[in-house]
Amino acid sequence: MNKRKALKQNIENIKRRLQNKHSVHDYTFFDSQERIKFKEILSDKLSGQKLFDCCKNLGIFIVSFGEELKYVLHIECFYRIRIGERLILTYNDEFYAPNGEMLTRKEIKKSQRKFYKNSLLEHSFEEFKFLTKGAVVSSIEINEVGDLYVSFDNGVIIEAFLDCMGQNNEFYRFFEYKNDSPHYIVKCLAGKIILQN
């Protein structure tokens, strides 16, 4: 089985396991109190952690943290990475060539089959990794609508913006990379933002 199929199967297994594990009632509305608790969890786990790796697979932006792979953040909503006023990476970079020109449909499909090779996204990932080499997570912020901000001590910021009110739409999830660790999932349910774990 090739790497892409194996990763896809792994993601599907995780989702299936979580669907079986959680009933509709295993969530809380993402009000100010829940945001504060979740921010404390993220801050406790991620503060002082280095970037381990990042990639995009099956439409999910995957950011991992730790000297060795320890924590994982899956982002399925609009995201961008910036340092100050300068954009480093955005959700739509997969549709552009490294020179900034838009790729054709054929080029996009070819790039996606090869894990975004020859796209601006691949170039952007490399720049993000270079800029965060040796940097550690310095702070976590979650605003009143659930947008997530992960800041590094050198000024690089990962921003995830809740961008869709589709039923059961998952925005992002955080978990420790070990079997049976809890998954904290920020998603939409009946027009409300919820935290499922």
Side-chain angles (χ1 to χ4, degrees):
M1 185 181 293
N2 66 32
K3 285 183 180 180
R4 185 179 184 129
K5 284 184 181 178
L7 187 55
K8 182 177 181 179
Q9 184 65 43
N10 190 23
I11 290 171
E12 290 303 317
N13 288 341
I14 289 170
K15 286 185 176 181
R16 196 174 307 109
R17 192 171 72 234
L18 288 171
Q19 286 171 349
N20 292 337
K21 184 178 177 183
H22 297 290
S23 72
V24 176
H25 301 290
D26 289 340
Y27 66 84
T28 54
F29 288 106
F30 208 43
D31 59 15
S32 59
Q33 189 175 11
E34 288 304 315
R35 281 194 308 277
I36 291 168
K37 285 183 198 172
F38 185 47
K39 177 186 168 185
E40 288 172 356
I41 290 168
L42 289 175
S43 295
D44 181 55
K45 303 285 188 190
L46 291 181
S47 291
Q49 297 290 334
K50 293 182 179 180
L51 177 77
F52 179 79
D53 199 6
C54 67
C55 68
K56 186 170 183 188
N57 203 336
L58 304 173
I60 302 171
F61 176 42
I62 303 168
V63 189
S64 50
F65 302 88
E67 289 287 346
E68 296 178 4
L69 179 54
K70 190 165 185 183
Y71 301 107
V72 182
L73 178 65
H74 285 185
I75 302 175
E76 294 189 56
C77 56
F78 182 84
Y79 58 86
R80 71 179 178 212
I81 298 173
R82 65 181 177 87
I83 185 166
E85 298 173 353
R86 185 169 157 279
L87 293 176
I88 298 167
L89 185 155
T90 74
Y91 178 87
N92 288 314
D93 286 353
E94 68 183 277
F95 304 113
Y96 294 87
N99 66 4
E101 292 184 14
M102 190 162 199
L103 297 172
T104 64
R105 284 181 184 229
K106 186 177 180 180
E107 290 170 326
I108 291 169
K109 285 184 181 181
K110 184 178 177 184
S111 169
Q112 289 173 338
R113 279 194 306 271
K114 295 182 177 180
F115 293 95
Y116 307 96
K117 296 285 185 196
N118 305 317
S119 75
L120 181 57
L121 189 62
E122 178 190 29
H123 175 79
S124 301
F125 281 151
E126 293 309 313
E127 183 176 6
F128 173 49
K129 290 175 192 177
F130 175 77
L131 287 172
T132 54
K133 189 171 186 169
V136 296
V137 174
S138 59
S139 69
I140 304 290
E141 292 299 328
I142 302 174
N143 70 14
E144 61 275 4
V145 294
D147 297 337
L148 174 66
Y149 304 86
V150 179
S151 299
F152 289 83
D153 63 354
N154 66 349
V156 173
I157 305 171
I158 301 171
E159 302 173 318
F161 303 101
L162 280 56
D163 61 354
C164 174
M165 292 303 291
Q167 183 72 350
N168 271 333
N169 184 64
E170 183 175 317
F171 301 113
Y172 54 87
R173 80 171 53 207
F174 173 77
F175 56 96
E176 194 167 347
Y177 192 73
K178 65 180 183 181
N179 285 338
D180 298 324
S181 71
H183 284 226
Y184 298 91
I185 307 164
V186 176
K187 61 193 295 187
C188 183
L189 181 66
K192 303 274 189 186
I193 306 303
I194 64 167
L195 177 64
Q196 182 178 348
N197 62 359

